[in-house]
Amino acid sequence: MNPVLVEAWRGDAIESEHTGSIAVLDAGGAVLLALGDIDRPVFPRSAVKALQALPLVESGAAERLALSDEELALACASHNGEPLHVRTALSMLAKAGADVDMLECGAHWPYHEPSVRAMAARGETPTPLNNNCSGKHAGFVCLACALMGWNDGGVDLRRYVKGYVKPDHPVMREVSEALHASTGFDLSRAPRGTDGCSIPTYGIPLRQLALAFARFGTGVGLREGHARAARRLREAVAKAPFMVGGSDRMDSAVMQRLGERVFCKVGAEGMYCAALPQRGLGVAIKISDGNNARAAEVVMAAAIESLVTLSAEEAEFMDGFSAVRLKNWNGIEVGALRASAPLRRALAARSSS
Amino acid sequence: MNPVLVEAWRGDAIESEHTGSIAVLDAGGAVLLALGDIDRPVFPRSAVKALQALPLVESGAAERLALSDEELALACASHNGEPLHVRTALSMLAKAGADVDMLECGAHWPYHEPSVRAMAARGETPTPLNNNCSGKHAGFVCLACALMGWNDGGVDLRRYVKGYVKPDHPVMREVSEALHASTGFDLSRAPRGTDGCSIPTYGIPLRQLALAFARFGTGVGLREGHARAARRLREAVAKAPFMVGGSDRMDSAVMQRLGERVFCKVGAEGMYCAALPQRGLGVAIKISDGNNARAAEVVMAAAIESLVTLSAEEAEFMDGFSAVRLKNWNGIEVGALRASAPLRRALAARSSS
């Protein structure tokens, strides 16, 4: 069984705890840190959206459609569905000559509660543009334009993209190939599931996911087209980090603060991956029970704090994510989230400082 | 480490899993079933609201204020903050001659998302009445009326109840005494924390919690006043189960369907307690990682299914909670929540059938 990585304290006792595993590798495949089982395949979910966006750039679609930093960042996002995210997804579709009803991700209310209430106050209901994956899907539609050879006319595109979420559609074959190429893991023998937005998700070990993100952050070990695409996506996200998450989201806040030193991306069910280009490292985390907000985030924040060279102010900023004070409805401090002793010891031994 | 109790499947693999512990005892203290550590103190949180409501009835306050079934059920509730819950809490306060601003639970948006959106559409913001604990707190104010000897006049009550959430206030001393008397656990040596609604929460082992609910369901082992109060509360909840949770809440749905055969109550951080009066049993569950919606609920549903005599239709109804089909944003079935093999084996060995 995996070790405890995060403790949730209340008063003078540990109330709950989260087990999990973490792998930190360099682009050559050397393991800098491993806690828990890093060789069992896990579904990476949305933590690999940046890898799934590699074909969007490599294919030339991003350049030909003149996708902006904001739009490329949104293609890597699990966004809050805030108005700016919605407008940006719509702009991507417009550049591709596509309509909202071509998106096959489904609709859900925004993750961002104030946006939900604002929509309700305006009498609105959610569309696929509010779906946290709408940027990724808009990117798939843009990729389709390239794969179909830039045929003119909306009718052809509509026919071509239909069913793009299916594993055997040319779009999804290209996306899965990028995942295979970057992780080096044979997806044909991987466990397979369907993701929240209906595309396939493949079980991949943390070892291969951390390797892929070390490659994503350095270009080392990627083919030329993917290396260039990775650099372009990292630059875009560093310039428009709000697009990747949104208000009150750790991904956006951390990348806003730390710039190109960190590319990090959360995924459902306790997944978190990051590239730390400065140190040439990739990080992959899975919380066994699937908890994101308070477990995967604490582990990733603790990892960034140890592995990235930070100023005192930046370290204090990261403390807000790695040692969280829990308050109740009256604002009274009632507990805390903390990285466990085994995790802190393992990270301290690999510290950048 | 505690055993896996719930598996979350996606496609052909286990994506996440939840460890935890469960105790099933009779009112004499005999252990019918124990998985995991049942002797480590855990914070029961809202799972013991019914025990905390015993003084409201024993003191005579419920009778003198003519509290209805709905109001008594709300005193045991972690409700959704739906309009009916809000009105009922307000009615309790009115009977006590109290005002909303005497509630010390804090305010939060309703748990029930459609109610949040409806409030936002009306331009409303949440009050303490929307707090899931408002019925419990309104019950504390009613109890205060009795403890202060039914002095007349709102001014005296306001002065008397102020600070009722503090451990040393007469109201909270009475509430803690009921918890001590029903569980038999010495709270003076228990871990202590502050709950979401600001009252103290004490660490109590699952063994003692299951014992308390076996007593709550049978009266056996409770003092006369508590036994009568327990019966009154169980009757009230069986008649008004919507009050305990609300729309789309397992507690309400199960008690609506199974009536007085089950009294069950969820608590924060993966807690779940139940009395099964028909079989004279008490059940107490803690999910190690604190997950309620998909872990504690699955374990409790599996326990009820095994331990309570059910018709085929009722068993099928409970299957909806113990073997949950997971769907994505497009309504496609992508996975399932299942009780683990060790849990199913342990329950099958103690089955009622």
Side-chain angles (χ1 to χ4, degrees):
Chain A
M1 202 166 263
N2 290 323
V4 171
L5 298 184
V6 176
E7 301 161 348
W9 286 74
R10 179 172 297 268
D12 52 6
I14 293 176
E15 181 166 36
S16 301
E17 53 191 22
H18 301 275
T19 63
S21 38
I22 172 171
V24 182
L25 272 78
D26 69 19
V31 176
L32 188 78
L33 185 157
L35 273 178
D37 187 349
I38 69 165
D39 288 310
R40 192 176 69 86
V42 297
F43 292 124
R45 309 292 301 274
S46 291
V48 292
K49 274 176 176 166
L51 306 178
Q52 293 169 318
L54 290 171
L56 173 64
V57 181
E58 188 189 39
S59 66
E63 195 173 6
R64 175 145 171 180
L65 296 175
L67 296 186
S68 65
D69 290 330
E70 286 72 18
E71 288 161 349
L72 284 175
L74 199 75
C76 304
S78 297
H79 63 73
N80 271 346
E82 298 178 65
L84 188 55
H85 301 122
V86 168
R87 282 200 301 276
T88 306
L90 201 53
S91 154
M92 294 171 76
L93 291 176
K95 288 181 177 179
D99 297 321
V100 175
D101 67 356
M102 290 162 148
L103 293 179
E104 300 183 356
C105 50
H108 64 74
W109 287 95
Y111 283 173
H112 186 239
E113 284 296 326
S115 294
V116 171
R117 299 195 293 265
M119 285 178 65
R122 292 191 300 265
E124 296 172 11
T125 53
T127 77
L129 295 170
N130 296 108
N131 187 309
N132 76 93
C133 298
S134 68
K136 176 179 72 174
H137 281 250
F140 291 158
V141 173
C142 293
L143 170 61
C145 295
L147 296 181
M148 67 187 277
W150 301 104
N151 286 0
D152 260 333
V155 176
D156 279 337
L157 178 62
R158 177 177 293 274
R159 197 181 313 137
Y160 185 84
V161 299
K162 191 171 164 54
Y164 68 84
V165 296
K166 293 277 195 297
D168 292 331
H169 190 282
V171 165
M172 210 45 58
R173 280 210 307 268
E174 195 73 9
V175 168
S176 299
E177 191 278 328
L179 209 51
H180 172 219
S182 56
T183 62
F185 192 69
D186 179 6
L187 303 186
S188 70
R189 56 191 187 91
R192 189 195 285 187
T194 303
D195 213 321
C197 66
S198 296
I199 72 166
T201 181
Y202 298 92
I204 301 173
L206 291 186
R207 179 192 298 272
Q208 264 72 32
L209 292 169
L211 174 66
F213 277 90
R215 291 169 165 175
F216 182 83
T218 59
V220 176
L222 294 182
R223 69 174 177 246
E224 179 66 20
H226 277 174
R228 266 204 312 270
R231 192 162 55 245
R232 178 75 191 95
L233 290 171
R234 285 193 288 111
E235 284 168 6
V237 167
K239 284 183 181 145
F242 180 84
M243 288 297 157
V244 177
S247 304
D248 302 319
R249 290 281 300 275
M250 177 170 143
D251 280 336
S252 297
V254 167
M255 293 194 282
Q256 181 99 47
R257 182 74 181 236
L258 302 183
E260 293 199 33
R261 281 175 290 172
V262 174
F263 172 91
C264 59
K265 181 66 188 64
V266 75
E269 292 290 330
M271 283 298 313
Y272 220 139
C273 289
L276 310 177
Q278 194 188 42
R279 293 204 59 198
L281 298 173
V283 182
I285 293 160
K286 164 74 182 178
I287 302 298
S288 310
D289 61 69
N291 186 299
N292 286 92
R294 71 179 201 180
E297 289 191 2
V298 167
V299 178
M300 181 55 85
I304 290 171
E305 228 172 322
S306 285
L307 300 172
V308 179
T309 306
L310 302 175
S311 70
E313 292 74 20
E314 289 167 343
E316 195 183 326
F317 170 79
M318 290 306 302
D319 267 349
F321 297 97
S322 68
V324 180
R325 295 172 180 196
L326 301 175
K327 296 183 176 182
N328 75 1
W329 302 120
N330 283 319
I332 299 169
E333 189 168 331
V334 293
L337 302 176
R338 296 181 197 160
S340 71
L343 175 60
R344 282 185 282 118
R345 273 197 303 272
L347 286 169
R350 281 82 179 176
S351 173
S352 66
S353 55
Chain B
M1 202 166 263
N2 290 322
V4 171
L5 299 184
V6 177
E7 301 162 348
W9 286 74
R10 179 172 298 268
D12 52 6
I14 293 177
E15 180 167 37
S16 302
E17 52 192 22
H18 300 276
T19 63
S21 38
I22 172 172
V24 182
L25 273 80
D26 70 19
V31 176
L32 189 79
L33 186 158
L35 274 177
D37 187 349
I38 68 164
D39 288 309
R40 192 175 69 85
V42 297
F43 291 125
R45 311 291 302 274
S46 291
V48 291
K49 275 176 176 165
L51 306 179
Q52 294 169 318
L54 290 171
L56 173 63
V57 181
E58 188 189 38
S59 67
E63 195 173 7
R64 177 144 169 180
L65 296 174
L67 297 185
S68 65
D69 290 330
E70 287 72 16
E71 289 161 348
L72 284 175
L74 199 75
C76 304
S78 297
H79 63 73
N80 269 346
E82 297 177 66
L84 188 55
H85 301 121
V86 167
R87 282 201 302 275
T88 306
L90 201 53
S91 154
M92 293 171 77
L93 292 175
K95 287 181 179 180
D99 297 321
V100 175
D101 67 357
M102 290 163 153
L103 293 179
E104 299 183 355
C105 50
H108 65 72
W109 288 94
Y111 284 173
H112 186 239
E113 284 296 327
S115 293
V116 171
R117 299 196 292 265
M119 284 177 66
R122 292 190 300 264
E124 296 172 9
T125 52
T127 76
L129 295 170
N130 296 109
N131 186 309
N132 76 92
C133 298
S134 68
K136 177 180 72 173
H137 281 249
F140 291 158
V141 173
C142 293
L143 169 61
C145 295
L147 296 180
M148 67 187 277
W150 301 103
N151 287 359
D152 260 334
V155 176
D156 279 337
L157 177 63
R158 176 176 294 274
R159 197 181 313 138
Y160 185 85
V161 298
K162 192 170 164 57
Y164 69 83
V165 295
K166 294 278 194 298
D168 293 330
H169 190 282
V171 165
M172 211 45 58
R173 280 210 306 269
E174 195 73 11
V175 167
S176 299
E177 191 277 330
L179 210 50
H180 171 219
S182 56
T183 63
F185 193 68
D186 179 5
L187 302 186
S188 68
R189 57 192 187 89
R192 189 195 285 187
T194 302
D195 214 320
C197 66
S198 296
I199 72 166
T201 182
Y202 298 92
I204 302 173
L206 291 185
R207 180 192 296 274
Q208 264 73 33
L209 292 169
L211 174 65
F213 277 89
R215 290 170 165 175
F216 182 82
T218 60
V220 176
L222 294 182
R223 68 174 177 245
E224 178 65 21
H226 278 174
R228 266 204 312 268
R231 192 162 54 247
R232 178 73 190 96
L233 290 171
R234 284 193 287 110
E235 285 168 5
V237 166
K239 283 183 182 147
F242 180 84
M243 289 297 156
V244 176
S247 304
D248 302 320
R249 290 282 300 277
M250 176 170 144
D251 280 336
S252 297
V254 167
M255 293 193 282
Q256 182 99 47
R257 183 74 182 237
L258 302 184
E260 293 199 33
R261 279 174 292 172
V262 175
F263 172 91
C264 59
K265 180 65 188 65
V266 75
E269 293 289 332
M271 283 299 313
Y272 221 138
C273 290
L276 310 177
Q278 195 188 42
R279 291 204 60 198
L281 298 174
V283 182
I285 293 160
K286 163 75 182 177
I287 301 299
S288 309
D289 61 69
N291 186 299
N292 285 93
R294 71 180 200 179
E297 289 191 2
V298 167
V299 179
M300 180 55 85
I304 290 171
E305 229 172 321
S306 286
L307 299 171
V308 179
T309 306
L310 301 175
S311 70
E313 291 75 20
E314 288 167 342
E316 196 183 326
F317 170 79
M318 289 308 302
D319 268 349
F321 297 96
S322 67
V324 180
R325 294 170 180 199
L326 300 175
K327 296 185 175 180
N328 75 1
W329 302 120
N330 283 320
I332 299 169
E333 190 168 332
V334 293
L337 303 176
R338 295 181 198 161
S340 71
L343 175 60
R344 281 185 282 117
R345 272 198 304 272
L347 286 170
R350 280 82 180 176
S351 171
S352 67
S353 56

